[in-house]
Amino acid sequence: MTFDDDVYESVNYSKIYCKANELLISSNAIDKFPFKVSALIKEQSDIRLCKYAKAFEKYGIPISQFGSESAVIMEYCGATIIFYNQDEVEYRIRFGIMHEFGHYVLGHKFNLKEIDPLYHKQELEANCFAAQMLMPEQILRECKNRGKVLSVDFIIQSFDVSEDAASKRKKTLANTTYEWKSRAEREYDDIIVLKYASMINKIAPKRQYDYNFDDEYDRQRERDSWYADSRTWR
């Protein structure tokens, strides 16, 4: 087993998935996709957001000291702050901030060096968290159930993410067997689909010939009961 395999094996994907699902359900700051990440963070924490340019202007911290060209979370001057590069494109800013917020939500240690054994595990976990928050699996699966092809372009257009993020999300979904998910992981699936129904209907309208087999079975049983009852009316 390689080092990368060790990292993948050590990640608690169920915990990440459930943490993200809880936020997708409970947050009033998320009502569509893409959503305003700053509003979510303000709603759920005391974390401050600070642009790299402002950090240099206010604190004299050059970008080279952050250790990341995109975003980083750290304790600074008694506060938890996510510093981010304001010069990147919007979708990279959004993913970078949500990645760092994932470190906070998942209880990670901040400011780890790459040589630290926990570093790569935490990075992978934060990426998984950001992906579920910004491109919820439940919405994508519902779109697929409605006949949409989950192409990279479809994910980009629907959630305004980078090509790289969309490509990785597509690959992750392809390698995930829904039936193997735990009960806890699937607990909020129907609620998430219902909460974001308006968005789903917009990007993947129901086809006229789509119907639910379980609903049809119930309707047939009702029709059968009517027929049985009608014979007693004669």
Side-chain angles (χ1 to χ4, degrees):
M1 183 176 284
T2 66
F3 174 74
D4 286 341
D5 289 332
D6 287 335
V7 172
Y8 282 110
E9 290 291 335
S10 67
V11 170
N12 187 341
Y13 294 101
S14 180
K15 174 186 174 183
I16 300 164
Y17 192 74
C18 290
K19 285 283 190 181
N21 286 345
E22 289 171 4
L23 287 176
L24 289 169
I25 288 294
S26 64
S27 175
N28 292 319
I30 309 175
D31 57 2
K32 62 180 181 178
F33 294 87
F35 60 88
K36 194 172 181 180
V37 294
S38 59
L40 172 67
I41 291 173
K42 183 178 181 179
E43 175 193 62
Q44 298 290 331
S45 71
D46 294 324
I47 294 174
R48 300 178 187 175
L49 295 177
C50 181
K51 299 175 182 178
Y52 280 178
K54 185 175 179 180
F56 181 72
E57 176 185 330
K58 187 173 181 179
Y59 304 113
I61 309 174
I63 189 173
S64 60
Q65 290 189 19
F66 287 113
S68 170
E69 293 184 1
S70 298
V72 64
I73 187 170
M74 63 174 63
E75 301 289 344
Y76 194 83
C77 294
T80 302
I81 304 175
I82 294 178
F83 295 99
Y84 66 95
N85 188 349
Q86 73 287 336
D87 293 330
E88 292 195 324
V89 293
E90 184 62 30
Y91 55 72
R92 284 187 60 85
I93 292 175
R94 193 164 52 249
F95 193 95
I97 290 175
M98 196 50 49
H99 171 102
E100 299 305 321
F101 185 55
H103 285 309
Y104 171 83
V105 171
L106 299 172
H108 288 170
K109 293 182 179 180
F110 301 162
N111 306 325
L112 292 181
K113 303 297 183 183
E114 288 193 41
I115 58 173
D116 192 300
L118 276 178
Y119 175 83
H120 294 285
K121 176 177 181 290
Q122 290 192 170
E123 287 299 292
L124 179 55
E125 289 180 344
N127 276 338
C128 291
F129 174 85
Q132 175 61 10
M133 291 299 299
L134 298 173
M135 302 166 280
E137 180 179 321
Q138 294 89 341
I139 295 178
L140 287 167
R141 289 194 182 281
E142 178 64 16
C143 290
K144 183 178 180 181
N145 291 340
R146 295 185 181 193
K148 285 292 182 179
V149 176
L150 299 185
S151 65
V152 170
D153 284 343
F154 175 77
I155 298 174
I156 291 173
Q157 291 169 11
S158 301
F159 298 94
D160 193 20
V161 293
S162 70
E163 182 177 353
D164 184 50
S167 179
K168 289 178 180 177
R169 193 58 169 146
K170 178 185 176 183
K171 182 178 179 180
T172 300
L173 287 171
N175 293 334
T176 301
T177 303
Y178 179 77
E179 289 73 16
W180 291 356
K181 287 186 177 294
S182 68
R183 184 175 181 178
E185 289 177 288
R186 293 188 286 183
E187 181 178 3
Y188 295 131
D189 286 2
D190 290 341
I191 305 174
I192 289 174
V193 170
L194 181 61
K195 180 179 179 181
Y196 301 108
S198 60
M199 180 213 174
I200 297 172
N201 290 334
K202 183 177 180 180
I203 63 176
K206 281 188 176 181
R207 298 168 294 185
Q208 291 185 350
Y209 54 85
D210 282 346
Y211 66 95
N212 186 292
F213 285 99
D214 290 334
D215 289 345
E216 178 59 27
Y217 175 72
D218 290 338
R219 285 194 292 269
Q220 185 59 49
R221 289 187 64 184
E222 185 176 1
R223 287 193 291 265
D224 291 342
S225 70
W226 291 343
Y227 173 72
D229 290 342
S230 70
R231 290 181 297 179
T232 67
W233 299 342
R234 296 174 185 174

